[in-house]
Amino acid sequence: QSALTQPASVSGSPGQSITISCTGTYADVGANNYVSWYQQHPGKAPRLLIYDVSTRPSGVSSRFSGSRSGNTASLTISGLQADDEADYYCSPYTRSNTLLFGGGTKLTVL
Amino acid sequence: EVHLLESGGGLVQPGRSLRLSCAASGFTFNNYAMSWVRQAPGKGLEWVSGITGSGGSTSYGDSVKGRFTISRDNSKNTLYLQMTSLRAEDTAVYYCAKVLWSDDSLHLGPYDSWGQGTLVTVSS
């Protein structure tokens, strides 16, 4: 069981926006600016969406954005598309120099 | 194009050992830290271990510390994970992952490239 809290599931209709939260502590999510988000489609490897809290790698759509307030990081997906249906994981680098992953959130596009 | 190909997974009895490999291509392998991340069936991701580009520094998750050893052969562009004293709870798909940053620090993420994974099943 992950020490980070993500909602087990979220849903939205095409074109809408959703936000996935990732709540931790000052020792992980709130420790530094090293929070990443990954997308994983069933049977596939994870894909990096966001790093350093809010930076998008090249090739990632601007529909994906990241933010943080205190010990909670958030991933927002705007203009939902069918292909966004996947699992999403947050991943902070901790004060104890280890890496954590959240328990994952299943996004359903209605 | 970056390509990571894991191999070495399979069915192994509890208490036995197994070595995973990850063949890398498409980038200057020794410039990048690498990690192993695993995913138990139907579960989330779990960071396992990381190593610097030179191989000089390593780090392990608490659940595998003392049992698993990460290493790399930069002349062969290959990352390894030696797993000993395997337990049922080590059953998972094991991914190798490349860190975004190019230097010799022990970066644990972010991971911009992943392999397709290799399944390790620990069962009698």
Side-chain angles (χ1 to χ4, degrees):
Chain A
Q1 190 168 355
S2 175
L4 305 172
T5 301
Q6 290 186 234
S9 63
V10 297
S11 63
S13 299
Q16 289 186 331
S17 295
I18 62 95
T19 296
I20 298 171
S21 60
C22 170
T23 301
T25 70
Y26 77 98
D28 38 65
V29 174
N32 49 55
N33 289 327
Y34 305 135
V35 179
S36 300
W37 288 90
Y38 297 88
Q39 176 193 60
Q40 186 180 34
H41 286 105
K44 301 294 186 181
R47 172 196 176 203
L48 179 65
L49 291 179
I50 297 288
Y51 66 94
D52 292 355
V53 176
S54 60
T55 303
R56 277 188 314 275
S58 60
V60 173
S61 170
S62 58
R63 297 187 300 107
F64 296 92
S65 62
S67 63
R68 182 184 57 194
S69 177
N71 297 329
T72 297
S74 298
L75 173 72
T76 297
I77 309 173
S78 60
L80 270 179
Q81 299 177 358
D83 189 53
D84 295 335
E85 187 160 295
D87 294 326
Y88 293 83
Y89 296 90
C90 64
S91 180
Y93 181 71
T94 74
R95 286 186 186 272
S96 54
N97 299 320
T98 61
L99 190 72
L100 287 180
F101 285 95
T105 297
K106 180 177 180 59
L107 169 62
T108 300
V109 180
L110 303 171
Chain B
E1 181 187 359
V2 173
H3 191 57
L4 300 171
L5 182 63
E6 302 93 339
S7 61
L11 175 63
V12 61
Q13 293 179 327
R16 303 297 289 266
S17 300
L18 200 64
R19 188 178 83 158
L20 306 183
S21 300
C22 171
S25 61
F27 64 103
T28 305
F29 184 64
N30 62 6
N31 282 357
Y32 292 87
M34 299 288 295
S35 283
W36 289 96
V37 175
R38 69 184 181 183
Q39 186 169 35
K43 302 297 184 181
L45 301 170
E46 179 188 11
W47 172 74
V48 173
S49 181
I51 187 169
T52 54
S54 66
S57 293
T58 60
S59 183
Y60 299 91
D62 287 342
S63 62
V64 306
K65 201 172 296 183
R67 299 188 300 123
F68 289 11
T69 302
I70 191 172
S71 62
R72 63 193 296 160
D73 185 336
N74 287 341
S75 69
K76 296 182 178 179
N77 287 354
T78 301
L79 176 73
Y80 301 101
L81 185 67
Q82 179 68 46
M83 304 184 294
T84 64
S85 302
L86 282 162
R87 306 166 180 168
E89 53 265 37
D90 295 318
T91 294
V93 172
Y94 285 74
Y95 295 100
C96 68
K98 168 188 167 291
V99 166
L100 178 64
W101 311 118
S102 172
D103 59 34
D104 202 35
S105 297
L106 186 53
H107 294 291
L108 303 181
Y111 303 115
D112 65 343
S113 296
W114 298 65
Q116 89 293 342
T118 187
L119 176 62
V120 173
T121 302
V122 184
S123 174
S124 54

